[in-house]
């Protein structure tokens, strides 16, 4: 009997709902005429349910994207070697902003038609180790016949690099060379057109003239002017401040020990990328100077440098921070030495690495402070440091990044 009553009640309720639905829909539509237009105006096009609130967007880390467009012909040998020594200092200078920015770097090497290559492009990446490993392979060769393929290099820097769409990101190109552009090549986009596109995308181009070639001054100044950039001239070797310190060797050693604490997990495809990063790190430890390794250690110790040090899917950091549960990772995606361990042994292995890492990171910070104090004393004894490559680049970054809300208290670059 109860079943029949319930069935009749459900049937009656359904029938009433069907009968009254059109009228209810009409009443609601007429009663709230202003809701739909207001919602339509308030929402941006193609909004998705997971769009972040405005407060989250405001609190995002600022981004710095920098591409060095570097003439690699024979006459540039001195400056190329300077770039290999100073790229970590430049990164550390950029990292010293009040709010630690995310830093991505890229390279465009160029020569001229008829040389071994016209351009070689290394895309923007937070993996500065891999970018640096590529820079180490560049050798100054070819050229020697006047103008170079500057137009193609600038075109590739603007169109061949994966610049972000973030309008608040500080996007900058440093064009470094000693020869003017070829303006006589047919079917080549000339730099005024390329710079117009760069300006529309918020990319600033600064020019650094190496040496005193008279024919280079006018186009280099014009390139900078067309994109609200700076022009400056340095000597053929780069005019950089290069001071070795008593702390470089120990920083290089501790940095190498710190790199050995990294463990990666992931799919076979991800492990291929991780091996490439480890290979790049091994290469720089083997081939770069102790001073360059010390500068890298200082950068990696900063908040901005953590991305370069860790890379993607670094197990010790992810487990120690609680972002990843070790037991949730498939055994074949663990580092190979850990695959044969018991869960308890795996945990001990991770904890041991984490404790060692913490100790080494503190040692690097202490050494970096002593190194900076030593450098400050030495720089005070130098004349003309303000005109060096280090100060010129940082001065441009400090001014231009400020327009994007990235501020620096110090006026002194990292060395």
């Amino acid at each position: 009997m109860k079943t029949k009553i319930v069935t009749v009640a459900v049937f009656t309720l359904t029938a009433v709902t069907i009968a009254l639905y059109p009228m209810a829909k009409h009443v609601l539509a007429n009663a709230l005429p202003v809701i739909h237009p207001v919602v339509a105006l308030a929402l941006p096009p193609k909004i998705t349910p997971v769009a972040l609130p405005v407060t989250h967007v405001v609190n995002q880390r600022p981004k710095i994207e920098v591409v060095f467009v570097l003439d690699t012909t024979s006459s540039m040998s001195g400056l190329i070697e300077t770039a290999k020594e100073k790229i970590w200092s430049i990164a550390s200078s950029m990292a010293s902003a009040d709010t630690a920015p995310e830093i991505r770097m890229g390279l465009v090497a160029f020569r001229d038609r008829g040389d071994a290559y016209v351009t070689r492009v290394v895309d923007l990446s937070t993996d500065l180790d891999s970018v640096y490993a590529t820079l180490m392979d560049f050798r100054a060769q070819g050229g020697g016949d006047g103008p170079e393929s500057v137009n193609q290099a600038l075109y590739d820097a603007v169109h061949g690099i994966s610049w972000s769409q973030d309008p608040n990101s500080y996007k900058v190109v440093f064009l470094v060379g000693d020869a003017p552009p070829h303006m006589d090549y047919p079917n080549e986009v000339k730099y005024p057109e390329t710079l117009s596109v760069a300006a529309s995308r918020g990319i600033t181009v600064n020019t650094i003239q190496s040496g005193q070639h008279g024919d280079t001054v006018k186009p280099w100044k014009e390139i900078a002017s067309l994109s609200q950039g700076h022009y400056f001239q340095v000597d053929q070797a780069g005019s950089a401040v290069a001071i070795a310190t008593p702390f470089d060797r120990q920083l290089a050693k501790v940095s190498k020990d710190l790199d050995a604490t990294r463990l990666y997990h992931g799919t076979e495809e991800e492990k291929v990328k991780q091996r490439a990063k480890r290979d790049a790190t091994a290469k720089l430890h083997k081939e770069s100077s102790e001073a360059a390794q010390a500068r890298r250690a200082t950068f990696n110790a900063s908040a901005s440098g953590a991305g370069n040090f860790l890379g993607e899917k670094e197990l010790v950091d992810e487990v120690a921070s609680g972002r990843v549960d070790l037991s949730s990772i498939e055994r074949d995606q663990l580092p190979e030495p850990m695959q044969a361990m018991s869960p308890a042994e795996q945990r001990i292995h991770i904890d041991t690495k984490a404790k060692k890492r913490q100790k080494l990171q503190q040692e690097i910070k202490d050494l970096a402070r002593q190194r900076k104090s030593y450098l400050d004393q030495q720089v005070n004894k130098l004349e003309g440091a303000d005109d060096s490559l280090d100060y010129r680049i940082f001065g441009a970054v400090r001014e231009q990044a400020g327009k994007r809300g990235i501020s620096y208290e110090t006026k002194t670059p990292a060395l």
Side-chain angles (χ1 to χ4, degrees):
M1 181 65 182
K2 289 181 180 180
T3 303
K4 290 182 178 179
I5 292 172
V6 172
T7 302
V8 171
V10 172
F11 177 83
T12 303
L13 181 59
T14 303
V16 170
T17 301
I18 293 171
L20 293 180
Y21 175 73
M23 180 173 67
K25 181 179 178 183
H26 175 74
V27 171
L28 287 172
N30 290 325
L32 302 170
V34 296
I35 289 179
H36 297 298
V38 171
V39 173
L41 290 173
L43 298 179
K46 300 181 181 178
I47 192 165
T48 62
V50 295
L52 292 175
V54 173
T55 52
H56 287 200
V57 174
V58 171
N59 292 328
Q60 283 182 344
R61 288 174 63 192
K63 295 182 179 65
I64 293 179
E65 300 172 316
V66 55
V67 172
F68 289 93
V69 180
L70 183 61
D71 181 341
T72 57
T73 55
S74 297
S75 58
M76 292 290 293
S77 59
L79 204 147
I80 290 172
E81 294 309 308
T82 296
K84 293 176 183 179
E85 287 296 315
K86 302 301 293 185
I87 192 169
W88 294 110
S89 298
I90 294 168
S92 292
S93 295
M94 293 177 178
S96 67
D98 295 343
T99 303
E102 175 187 313
I103 297 174
R104 300 169 71 211
M105 280 193 180
L107 298 168
V108 177
F110 71 94
R111 290 180 182 170
D112 197 10
R113 297 183 183 185
D115 290 330
Y117 58 84
V118 177
T119 63
R120 286 186 178 171
V121 178
V122 180
D123 204 1
L124 284 166
S125 176
T126 56
D127 181 7
L128 269 57
D129 281 0
S130 295
V131 174
Y132 182 71
T134 304
L135 175 62
M136 290 173 68
D137 288 336
F138 287 147
R139 298 289 183 268
Q141 295 175 338
D145 56 352
E148 310 293 355
S149 289
V150 177
N151 284 318
Q152 185 64 51
L154 285 173
Y155 183 89
D156 288 353
V158 172
H159 296 278
I161 294 287
S162 58
W163 300 97
S164 74
Q165 300 301 310
D166 183 357
N168 295 317
S169 173
Y170 170 45
K171 308 178 186 74
V172 62
V173 168
F174 285 94
L175 171 62
V176 188
D178 63 356
H182 263 291
M183 300 302 286
D184 55 341
Y185 286 153
N187 303 319
E188 184 177 67
V189 178
K190 304 301 187 288
Y191 66 77
E193 183 177 340
T194 297
L195 294 174
S196 177
V197 175
S200 71
R201 297 180 182 178
I203 302 170
T204 302
V205 180
N206 298 301
T207 56
I208 303 174
Q209 180 183 347
S210 174
Q212 299 181 350
H213 195 301
D215 292 341
T216 307
V217 177
K218 182 178 179 181
W220 246 233
K221 286 185 175 180
E222 185 177 20
I223 289 168
S225 176
L226 287 172
S227 56
Q228 284 76 54
H230 288 286
Y231 159 85
F232 45 91
Q233 184 268 337
V234 296
D235 65 36
Q236 204 71 42
S239 306
V241 177
I243 302 173
T245 82
F247 308 99
D248 292 349
R249 175 166 294 183
Q250 184 63 15
L251 269 168
K253 178 185 179 302
V254 178
S255 179
K256 186 175 182 179
D257 292 341
L258 180 63
D259 288 332
T261 68
R262 298 183 301 191
L263 297 172
Y264 293 101
H265 68 99
T267 64
E268 284 304 315
E269 183 179 357
E270 289 169 329
K271 287 180 179 179
V272 169
K273 295 179 181 178
Q274 293 158 358
R275 281 194 292 271
K277 177 173 177 60
R278 286 197 298 267
D279 289 345
T281 303
K283 179 178 180 177
L284 69 87
H285 280 306
K286 181 179 179 181
E287 299 182 17
S288 63
S289 69
E290 289 179 346
Q293 293 177 51
R295 296 180 188 111
R296 171 183 175 269
T298 301
F299 172 69
N300 281 352
S302 70
S304 296
N308 176 63
F309 166 61
L310 294 171
E312 297 180 4
K313 306 194 77 169
E314 200 284 317
L315 190 60
V316 177
D317 178 68
E318 290 185 340
V319 172
S321 65
R323 296 196 309 275
V324 170
D325 182 356
L326 184 58
S327 64
S328 69
I329 302 175
E330 297 291 336
R331 185 172 294 273
D332 63 354
Q333 293 195 10
L334 288 169
E336 191 170 339
M338 292 181 63
Q339 293 178 14
M341 297 179 184
S342 68
E345 290 171 332
Q346 291 173 355
R347 171 58 68 175
I348 292 172
H349 187 62
I350 293 291
D351 289 346
T352 301
K353 291 278 188 182
K355 289 176 183 177
K356 183 175 182 180
R357 176 177 297 180
Q358 188 175 26
K359 179 181 177 182
L360 292 170
Q361 286 175 326
Q362 186 58 53
E363 188 173 353
I364 286 175
K365 288 179 180 179
D366 293 341
L367 287 167
R369 278 194 293 269
Q370 296 176 68
R371 180 178 179 275
K372 184 179 184 306
S373 177
Y374 179 88
L375 285 169
D376 288 343
Q377 295 175 15
Q378 298 303 310
V379 169
N380 288 335
K381 302 174 184 178
L382 295 178
E383 294 184 4
D386 291 351
D387 294 326
S388 69
L389 182 69
D390 314 81
Y391 279 78
R392 293 290 189 89
I393 289 178
F394 182 58
V397 168
R398 188 172 182 273
E399 176 191 321
Q400 294 161 3
K403 297 175 183 177
R404 302 290 183 186
I406 304 172
S407 59
Y408 294 86
E409 288 187 8
T410 180
K411 295 182 179 179
T412 305
L415 301 172

